[in-house]
Amino acid sequence: QVQLVESGGGLVQPGGSLRLSCAASGSIFSIGTMGWYRQAPGKQRELVAVIGYGGSTNYADSVKGRFTISRDNAKNTVYRQMNSLKPEDTAVYYCNAVLKVTITARRTEYWGQGTQVTVSS
């Protein structure tokens, strides 16, 4: 059973910072792309940032220059540092990973349970 466990959400004032982490655990052979998505009330889930196994990254235009995604492959963990937070960053943030549970298994997408980030004064 594979689990993605997120931590680090909460309430922060505009202009503040938060660091989120997501650890993958369970029977895992290899992990490819890891990333973060978010869903604000009344909106569709959208990509925030993704990172490949080798460290290549892709960011949504709305967070470029403010968010930084990184990963520790030895710990099967992905991080996101969020700076200069804005009220429009308020959303539930979901961790995502594409991984294989065995050498012969197909790549499968897994999601974390989501963590709330609220930016408000």
Side-chain angles (χ1 to χ4, degrees):
Q1 187 80 15
V2 174
Q3 283 189 312
L4 300 183
V5 179
E6 300 136 339
S7 61
L11 173 65
V12 63
Q13 292 187 339
S17 299
L18 277 177
R19 179 177 169 88
L20 303 186
S21 64
C22 171
S25 63
S27 178
I28 298 171
F29 173 75
S30 65
I31 302 180
T33 302
M34 302 185 79
W36 293 93
Y37 291 70
R38 68 185 179 187
Q39 188 166 17
K43 295 187 176 181
Q44 289 188 329
R45 190 174 297 187
E46 63 176 0
L47 180 145
V48 176
V50 292
I51 184 168
Y53 183 84
S56 60
T57 58
N58 187 35
Y59 294 91
D61 288 342
S62 59
V63 306
K64 282 180 180 177
R66 300 189 297 122
F67 292 9
T68 302
I69 189 170
S70 60
R71 63 189 286 171
D72 184 334
N73 291 329
K75 296 181 179 179
N76 289 339
T77 299
V78 62
Y79 305 94
R80 189 174 81 254
Q81 178 68 40
M82 304 185 293
N83 298 326
S84 303
L85 282 161
K86 305 175 180 180
E88 51 263 43
D89 294 318
T90 296
V92 177
Y93 285 74
Y94 295 91
C95 176
N96 172 278
V98 179
L99 58 89
K100 298 177 67 172
V101 295
T102 67
I103 191 171
T104 58
R106 303 182 71 169
R107 290 185 177 85
T108 303
E109 191 173 42
Y110 289 84
W111 292 90
Q113 77 282 3
T115 184
Q116 177 70 45
V117 171
T118 302
V119 185
S120 176
S121 55

PDB file of all heavy atoms in Angstrom, residues 8 10 13-14 16-17 20 37 45 57 81-82 98:
ATOM      1  N   GLY A   8       2.686  20.556   6.785  1.00  0.00           N
ATOM      2  CA  GLY A   8       3.199  21.906   6.706  1.00  0.00           C
ATOM      3  C   GLY A   8       2.203  22.975   6.316  1.00  0.00           C
ATOM      4  O   GLY A   8       2.565  24.140   6.203  1.00  0.00           O
ATOM      5  N   GLY A  10      -1.299  25.462   6.713  1.00  0.00           N
ATOM      6  CA  GLY A  10      -1.762  26.279   7.816  1.00  0.00           C
ATOM      7  C   GLY A  10      -2.179  27.662   7.377  1.00  0.00           C
ATOM      8  O   GLY A  10      -2.382  27.914   6.188  1.00  0.00           O
ATOM      9  N   GLN A  13      -0.051  35.036   6.967  1.00  0.00           N
ATOM     10  CA  GLN A  13      -0.426  36.363   6.504  1.00  0.00           C
ATOM     11  C   GLN A  13       0.108  36.618   5.099  1.00  0.00           C
ATOM     12  O   GLN A  13       1.113  36.016   4.701  1.00  0.00           O
ATOM     13  CB  GLN A  13       0.116  37.420   7.463  1.00  0.00           C
ATOM     14  CG  GLN A  13      -0.542  37.401   8.833  1.00  0.00           C
ATOM     15  CD  GLN A  13      -0.091  38.563   9.692  1.00  0.00           C
ATOM     16  OE1 GLN A  13       0.951  39.166   9.458  1.00  0.00           O
ATOM     17  NE2 GLN A  13      -0.886  38.889  10.703  1.00  0.00           N
ATOM     18  N   PRO A  14      -0.541  37.511   4.363  1.00  0.00           N
ATOM     19  CA  PRO A  14      -0.012  37.866   3.040  1.00  0.00           C
ATOM     20  C   PRO A  14       1.438  38.329   3.139  1.00  0.00           C
ATOM     21  O   PRO A  14       1.799  39.077   4.058  1.00  0.00           O
ATOM     22  CB  PRO A  14      -0.931  39.008   2.599  1.00  0.00           C
ATOM     23  CG  PRO A  14      -2.223  38.728   3.302  1.00  0.00           C
ATOM     24  CD  PRO A  14      -1.818  38.179   4.645  1.00  0.00           C
ATOM     25  N   GLY A  16       3.823  36.271   3.715  1.00  0.00           N
ATOM     26  CA  GLY A  16       4.523  35.287   4.535  1.00  0.00           C
ATOM     27  C   GLY A  16       5.004  34.091   3.747  1.00  0.00           C
ATOM     28  O   GLY A  16       4.868  34.028   2.514  1.00  0.00           O
ATOM     29  N   SER A  17       5.547  33.122   4.481  1.00  0.00           N
ATOM     30  CA  SER A  17       6.126  31.932   3.861  1.00  0.00           C
ATOM     31  C   SER A  17       5.632  30.667   4.556  1.00  0.00           C
ATOM     32  O   SER A  17       5.293  30.690   5.743  1.00  0.00           O
ATOM     33  CB  SER A  17       7.660  31.965   3.944  1.00  0.00           C
ATOM     34  OG  SER A  17       8.184  33.079   3.258  1.00  0.00           O
ATOM     35  N   LEU A  20       5.980  23.197   2.648  1.00  0.00           N
ATOM     36  CA  LEU A  20       5.224  21.949   2.669  1.00  0.00           C
ATOM     37  C   LEU A  20       6.139  20.785   2.319  1.00  0.00           C
ATOM     38  O   LEU A  20       7.093  20.944   1.554  1.00  0.00           O
ATOM     39  CB  LEU A  20       4.073  21.989   1.663  1.00  0.00           C
ATOM     40  CG  LEU A  20       3.044  23.101   1.779  1.00  0.00           C
ATOM     41  CD1 LEU A  20       1.919  22.862   0.786  1.00  0.00           C
ATOM     42  CD2 LEU A  20       2.505  23.215   3.185  1.00  0.00           C
ATOM     43  N   TYR A  37      -0.306  20.087  -6.644  1.00  0.00           N
ATOM     44  CA  TYR A  37      -1.456  20.677  -7.298  1.00  0.00           C
ATOM     45  C   TYR A  37      -2.269  21.383  -6.216  1.00  0.00           C
ATOM     46  O   TYR A  37      -2.082  21.138  -5.023  1.00  0.00           O
ATOM     47  CB  TYR A  37      -2.313  19.601  -7.966  1.00  0.00           C
ATOM     48  CG  TYR A  37      -1.662  18.958  -9.161  1.00  0.00           C
ATOM     49  CD1 TYR A  37      -0.569  18.098  -9.016  1.00  0.00           C
ATOM     50  CD2 TYR A  37      -2.119  19.214 -10.455  1.00  0.00           C
ATOM     51  CE1 TYR A  37       0.038  17.517 -10.113  1.00  0.00           C
ATOM     52  CE2 TYR A  37      -1.525  18.632 -11.560  1.00  0.00           C
ATOM     53  CZ  TYR A  37      -0.444  17.782 -11.384  1.00  0.00           C
ATOM     54  OH  TYR A  37       0.155  17.206 -12.475  1.00  0.00           O
ATOM     55  N   ARG A  45      -8.894  21.675  -9.957  1.00  0.00           N
ATOM     56  CA  ARG A  45      -7.548  21.430  -9.485  1.00  0.00           C
ATOM     57  C   ARG A  45      -6.561  21.856 -10.561  1.00  0.00           C
ATOM     58  O   ARG A  45      -6.758  21.571 -11.743  1.00  0.00           O
ATOM     59  CB  ARG A  45      -7.372  19.947  -9.144  1.00  0.00           C
ATOM     60  CG  ARG A  45      -6.077  19.622  -8.427  1.00  0.00           C
ATOM     61  CD  ARG A  45      -6.035  18.173  -7.993  1.00  0.00           C
ATOM     62  NE  ARG A  45      -7.086  17.857  -7.034  1.00  0.00           N
ATOM     63  CZ  ARG A  45      -7.178  16.696  -6.397  1.00  0.00           C
ATOM     64  NH1 ARG A  45      -6.284  15.742  -6.627  1.00  0.00           N
ATOM     65  NH2 ARG A  45      -8.159  16.474  -5.556  1.00  0.00           N
ATOM     66  N   THR A  57      12.379  20.956 -13.348  1.00  0.00           N
ATOM     67  CA  THR A  57      11.176  21.510 -12.717  1.00  0.00           C
ATOM     68  C   THR A  57      10.289  22.234 -13.731  1.00  0.00           C
ATOM     69  O   THR A  57      10.744  22.671 -14.790  1.00  0.00           O
ATOM     70  CB  THR A  57      11.543  22.492 -11.605  1.00  0.00           C
ATOM     71  OG1 THR A  57      12.350  23.541 -12.152  1.00  0.00           O
ATOM     72  CG2 THR A  57      12.307  21.807 -10.486  1.00  0.00           C
ATOM     73  N   GLN A  81       8.737  25.198  -1.039  1.00  0.00           N
ATOM     74  CA  GLN A  81       8.909  26.425  -0.285  1.00  0.00           C
ATOM     75  C   GLN A  81       8.070  27.500  -0.953  1.00  0.00           C
ATOM     76  O   GLN A  81       8.223  27.749  -2.155  1.00  0.00           O
ATOM     77  CB  GLN A  81      10.380  26.848  -0.260  1.00  0.00           C
ATOM     78  CG  GLN A  81      10.645  28.152   0.461  1.00  0.00           C
ATOM     79  CD  GLN A  81      10.398  28.058   1.953  1.00  0.00           C
ATOM     80  OE1 GLN A  81      10.728  27.053   2.580  1.00  0.00           O
ATOM     81  NE2 GLN A  81       9.831  29.100   2.535  1.00  0.00           N
ATOM     82  N   MET A  82       7.168  28.102  -0.182  1.00  0.00           N
ATOM     83  CA  MET A  82       6.284  29.127  -0.726  1.00  0.00           C
ATOM     84  C   MET A  82       6.605  30.453  -0.042  1.00  0.00           C
ATOM     85  O   MET A  82       6.473  30.563   1.178  1.00  0.00           O
ATOM     86  CB  MET A  82       4.818  28.756  -0.481  1.00  0.00           C
ATOM     87  CG  MET A  82       4.445  27.397  -1.047  1.00  0.00           C
ATOM     88  SD  MET A  82       2.679  27.032  -0.888  1.00  0.00           S
ATOM     89  CE  MET A  82       2.536  26.908   0.894  1.00  0.00           C
ATOM     90  N   VAL A  98       4.149   9.903  -9.448  1.00  0.00           N
ATOM     91  CA  VAL A  98       3.997   8.831 -10.424  1.00  0.00           C
ATOM     92  C   VAL A  98       5.076   7.803 -10.114  1.00  0.00           C
ATOM     93  O   VAL A  98       6.269   8.116 -10.156  1.00  0.00           O
ATOM     94  CB  VAL A  98       4.153   9.354 -11.860  1.00  0.00           C
ATOM     95  CG1 VAL A  98       4.019   8.207 -12.851  1.00  0.00           C
ATOM     96  CG2 VAL A  98       3.119  10.436 -12.138  1.00  0.00           C
TER      97      VAL A  98
END
